[in-house]
Amino acid sequence: MANLLINNKRKRKYPIPGFRLTLGFTLIYLSLIVLIPLSMIFLNSFSNGLDGFWKVVTERRVLASYKLSFTTAFTAAFINACFGLLIAWVLTRYQFPGKKIIDGLVDLPFALPTAVAGITLTTLYSTNGWIGQFFNFKIAFTPVGIIIALVFIGLPFVVRMVQPVLENMDAEVEEASAALGADKFQTFFRVILPELIPAIVTGFALSFARALGEYGSVVFIAGNMPFKTEISPLIIMTKLEQYDYKGATAVAAGMLIITFIIMFFINFIQWWSNRKYLSR
């Protein structure tokens, strides 16, 4: 009888069939695809010692590229969080001709090769381009052009994260808010927006992470001027072309460490917002 109770308790401990097998496969898969390659980056970066690694990542040119990459990526992700919410709202709440076409265009940056996107954006926003000629300041070959390219490739992440939440949102909650005397703005900011914050933060994080590692769509419109428009992925490619593999991995490891810290705080904010929402 005691053995039967122990066996039943063990069965209840893992309600999903094949838990140990699937967990083992997951850990092996993640190790082969993620952990081992990342560990090789750090092993190669620190092969010259901590002093050699620190010397590479603190070069003025590398620090300038870090500042540009993280600033433009954060700005682009913030813009996508705002306008991605707006686009998701329009696609979810309204019916109009061509809605399915616009909905499909949102995913175009996923399918379009990044190099093609970079060449196209450079042609449009250069001084003599179709759009750039109407501005009194330069867009291409400046940080503004980099932000535009990063907004282009990161927008779908926010839209596709927010859109399902809006579609599954209960309309009765909004009707109850209106019945209690709340206007449209109060209903949005006090009822709808709190439920959307976790999805917006997730979309922001995905857009930010994608923008940090973007190369193809940025390298053409950036102009690649050291200390001005040179991004960190370009420095990595330059060091690889010069057969400076240890320097390239050191720059990549520096980006990885900073990105991990930033993503940790973003995930903490997401966890906090989810917990606060569930506690209501």
Side-chain angles (χ1 to χ4, degrees):
M1 186 69 178
N3 292 333
L4 181 61
L5 291 174
I6 293 173
N7 291 331
N8 291 334
K9 185 179 291 185
R10 288 178 178 175
K11 289 181 180 179
R12 289 194 297 269
K13 188 176 180 180
Y14 302 110
I16 302 176
F19 174 77
R20 290 186 177 91
L21 178 62
T22 54
L23 177 62
F25 176 80
T26 301
L27 294 176
I28 293 173
Y29 184 81
L30 288 176
S31 298
L32 293 174
I33 302 299
V34 179
L35 296 180
I36 294 178
L38 292 181
S39 64
M40 291 305 299
I41 291 177
F42 286 100
L43 287 175
N44 200 15
S45 300
F46 289 97
S47 59
N48 288 333
L50 184 61
D51 292 337
F53 170 80
W54 186 254
K55 182 179 179 181
V56 173
V57 299
T58 55
E59 292 179 2
R60 289 184 60 247
R61 188 173 175 182
V62 175
L63 291 177
S65 71
Y66 282 162
K67 181 180 179 181
L68 178 67
S69 295
F70 284 97
T71 302
T72 54
F74 185 88
T75 304
F78 180 78
I79 294 173
N80 282 330
C82 297
F83 289 94
L85 172 61
L86 178 62
I87 294 173
W89 180 273
V90 172
L91 292 176
T92 304
R93 294 305 178 94
Y94 301 103
Q95 297 295 331
F96 52 89
K99 176 181 175 180
K100 291 188 178 296
I101 297 176
I102 296 177
D103 190 40
L105 289 176
V106 172
D107 295 325
L108 185 62
F110 286 150
L112 190 67
T114 55
V116 176
I119 295 172
T120 303
L121 292 173
T122 304
T123 303
L124 287 174
Y125 290 100
S126 62
T127 305
N128 298 324
W130 290 0
I131 299 177
Q133 62 180 333
F134 297 106
F135 292 88
N136 295 325
F137 57 91
K138 288 181 64 176
I139 297 179
F141 316 126
T142 65
V144 177
I146 297 175
I147 292 173
I148 291 175
L150 297 181
V151 168
F152 175 79
I153 57 98
L155 179 64
F157 290 101
V158 179
V159 176
R160 294 313 182 205
M161 288 301 302
V162 176
Q163 194 172 1
V165 180
L166 281 172
E167 291 175 350
N168 296 326
M169 191 171 293
D170 193 356
E172 294 180 357
V173 177
E174 300 178 40
E175 294 174 358
S177 176
L180 292 174
D183 57 28
K184 293 182 179 180
F185 289 98
Q186 290 175 329
T187 301
F188 177 78
F189 285 104
R190 296 187 178 183
V191 178
I192 300 176
L193 187 59
E195 295 190 18
L196 296 178
I197 286 178
I200 295 173
V201 173
T202 302
F204 173 89
L206 292 174
S207 178
F208 176 75
R210 170 67 191 277
L212 280 178
E214 183 60 25
Y215 176 78
S217 62
V218 178
V219 68
F220 294 102
I221 198 170
N224 309 322
M225 292 179 287
F227 303 102
K228 293 183 179 180
T229 59
E230 188 177 41
I231 57 175
S232 296
L234 178 63
I235 287 186
I236 295 173
M237 290 298 299
T238 302
K239 289 183 178 294
L240 289 175
E241 292 174 354
Q242 297 172 352
Y243 302 101
D244 183 10
Y245 300 117
K246 294 180 181 179
T249 54
V251 176
M255 282 196 69
L256 189 62
I257 293 172
I258 300 173
T259 303
F260 177 80
I261 296 172
I262 295 175
M263 295 301 293
F264 175 81
F265 281 106
I266 292 175
N267 289 328
F268 175 79
I269 293 172
Q270 183 182 9
W271 170 82
W272 177 79
S273 62
N274 281 329
R275 184 178 179 183
K276 184 177 181 181
Y277 172 73
L278 292 175
S279 63
R280 293 175 57 188

Short mmCIF file of all heavy atoms in Angstrom, two decimals, residues 14 16-30:
data_model
loop_
_atom_site.label_atom_id
_atom_site.label_comp_id
_atom_site.label_asym_id
_atom_site.label_seq_id
_atom_site.Cartn_x
_atom_site.Cartn_y
_atom_site.Cartn_z
N TYR A 14 4.89 14.78 -11.99
CA TYR A 14 5.16 15.12 -13.38
C TYR A 14 3.91 14.83 -14.21
O TYR A 14 3.76 13.73 -14.76
CB TYR A 14 6.35 14.34 -13.92
CG TYR A 14 7.62 14.54 -13.13
CD1 TYR A 14 8.15 13.51 -12.35
CD2 TYR A 14 8.27 15.76 -13.13
CE1 TYR A 14 9.31 13.70 -11.61
CE2 TYR A 14 9.43 15.97 -12.39
CZ TYR A 14 9.94 14.92 -11.63
OH TYR A 14 11.07 15.11 -10.89
N ILE A 16 2.90 15.99 -17.02
CA ILE A 16 3.10 15.94 -18.47
C ILE A 16 3.82 14.65 -18.83
O ILE A 16 4.88 14.35 -18.27
CB ILE A 16 3.92 17.15 -18.95
CG1 ILE A 16 3.22 18.44 -18.56
CG2 ILE A 16 4.13 17.10 -20.46
CD1 ILE A 16 4.01 19.68 -18.91
N PRO A 17 3.27 13.85 -19.75
CA PRO A 17 3.93 12.58 -20.12
C PRO A 17 5.30 12.83 -20.74
O PRO A 17 5.49 13.75 -21.53
CB PRO A 17 2.97 11.98 -21.15
CG PRO A 17 1.66 12.64 -20.91
CD PRO A 17 1.99 14.02 -20.41
N GLY A 18 6.28 12.02 -20.33
CA GLY A 18 7.61 12.13 -20.89
C GLY A 18 8.35 13.37 -20.45
O GLY A 18 9.15 13.92 -21.21
N PHE A 19 8.11 13.84 -19.24
CA PHE A 19 8.72 15.10 -18.77
C PHE A 19 10.24 15.00 -18.77
O PHE A 19 10.93 15.89 -19.26
CB PHE A 19 8.20 15.44 -17.38
CG PHE A 19 8.88 16.62 -16.76
CD1 PHE A 19 8.56 17.91 -17.16
CD2 PHE A 19 9.87 16.46 -15.78
CE1 PHE A 19 9.19 19.01 -16.60
CE2 PHE A 19 10.50 17.54 -15.22
CZ PHE A 19 10.16 18.82 -15.64
N ARG A 20 10.77 13.91 -18.19
CA ARG A 20 12.23 13.78 -18.10
C ARG A 20 12.86 13.72 -19.49
O ARG A 20 13.90 14.32 -19.74
CB ARG A 20 12.58 12.54 -17.29
CG ARG A 20 12.25 12.64 -15.80
CD ARG A 20 12.76 11.42 -15.06
NE ARG A 20 12.51 11.53 -13.63
CZ ARG A 20 11.42 11.08 -13.03
NH1 ARG A 20 10.46 10.51 -13.75
NH2 ARG A 20 11.27 11.20 -11.72
N LEU A 21 12.22 12.98 -20.40
CA LEU A 21 12.76 12.84 -21.74
C LEU A 21 12.74 14.17 -22.49
O LEU A 21 13.74 14.57 -23.10
CB LEU A 21 11.96 11.79 -22.53
CG LEU A 21 12.38 11.56 -23.98
CD1 LEU A 21 13.81 11.04 -24.04
CD2 LEU A 21 11.44 10.59 -24.66
N THR A 22 11.61 14.87 -22.43
CA THR A 22 11.50 16.15 -23.14
C THR A 22 12.40 17.22 -22.52
O THR A 22 12.98 18.04 -23.23
CB THR A 22 10.05 16.64 -23.13
OG1 THR A 22 9.56 16.68 -21.78
CG2 THR A 22 9.16 15.72 -23.95
N LEU A 23 12.53 17.20 -21.18
CA LEU A 23 13.42 18.15 -20.52
C LEU A 23 14.87 17.89 -20.91
O LEU A 23 15.63 18.83 -21.20
CB LEU A 23 13.27 18.08 -19.00
CG LEU A 23 14.20 18.99 -18.19
CD1 LEU A 23 13.94 20.45 -18.52
CD2 LEU A 23 14.01 18.74 -16.69
N GLY A 24 15.26 16.63 -20.94
CA GLY A 24 16.62 16.29 -21.35
C GLY A 24 16.90 16.70 -22.78
O GLY A 24 17.96 17.26 -23.09
N PHE A 25 15.94 16.44 -23.68
CA PHE A 25 16.10 16.84 -25.08
C PHE A 25 16.20 18.36 -25.20
O PHE A 25 17.02 18.89 -25.97
CB PHE A 25 14.93 16.33 -25.91
CG PHE A 25 14.98 16.77 -27.35
CD1 PHE A 25 15.79 16.12 -28.26
CD2 PHE A 25 14.21 17.84 -27.78
CE1 PHE A 25 15.84 16.53 -29.58
CE2 PHE A 25 14.25 18.27 -29.09
CZ PHE A 25 15.07 17.60 -30.00
N THR A 26 15.39 19.10 -24.42
CA THR A 26 15.42 20.56 -24.45
C THR A 26 16.77 21.10 -24.01
O THR A 26 17.34 21.99 -24.65
CB THR A 26 14.31 21.13 -23.54
OG1 THR A 26 13.04 20.65 -23.99
CG2 THR A 26 14.32 22.64 -23.57
N LEU A 27 17.31 20.53 -22.91
CA LEU A 27 18.60 21.00 -22.41
C LEU A 27 19.73 20.70 -23.40
O LEU A 27 20.61 21.53 -23.62
CB LEU A 27 18.90 20.36 -21.06
CG LEU A 27 17.97 20.77 -19.90
CD1 LEU A 27 18.31 20.00 -18.64
CD2 LEU A 27 18.05 22.27 -19.66
N ILE A 28 19.69 19.51 -24.01
CA ILE A 28 20.71 19.16 -25.01
C ILE A 28 20.62 20.09 -26.22
O ILE A 28 21.64 20.58 -26.73
CB ILE A 28 20.57 17.68 -25.42
CG1 ILE A 28 20.91 16.77 -24.24
CG2 ILE A 28 21.48 17.37 -26.60
CD1 ILE A 28 20.65 15.31 -24.50
N TYR A 29 19.39 20.32 -26.67
CA TYR A 29 19.19 21.18 -27.84
C TYR A 29 19.67 22.60 -27.58
O TYR A 29 20.39 23.19 -28.40
CB TYR A 29 17.72 21.17 -28.23
CG TYR A 29 17.40 21.93 -29.49
CD1 TYR A 29 17.61 21.36 -30.74
CD2 TYR A 29 16.90 23.23 -29.44
CE1 TYR A 29 17.33 22.05 -31.90
CE2 TYR A 29 16.62 23.93 -30.59
CZ TYR A 29 16.83 23.33 -31.81
OH TYR A 29 16.56 24.03 -32.96
N LEU A 30 19.29 23.16 -26.42
CA LEU A 30 19.72 24.51 -26.08
C LEU A 30 21.23 24.59 -25.90
O LEU A 30 21.85 25.60 -26.25
CB LEU A 30 19.01 24.98 -24.81
CG LEU A 30 17.53 25.32 -24.94
CD1 LEU A 30 16.94 25.68 -23.59
CD2 LEU A 30 17.31 26.45 -25.93
#
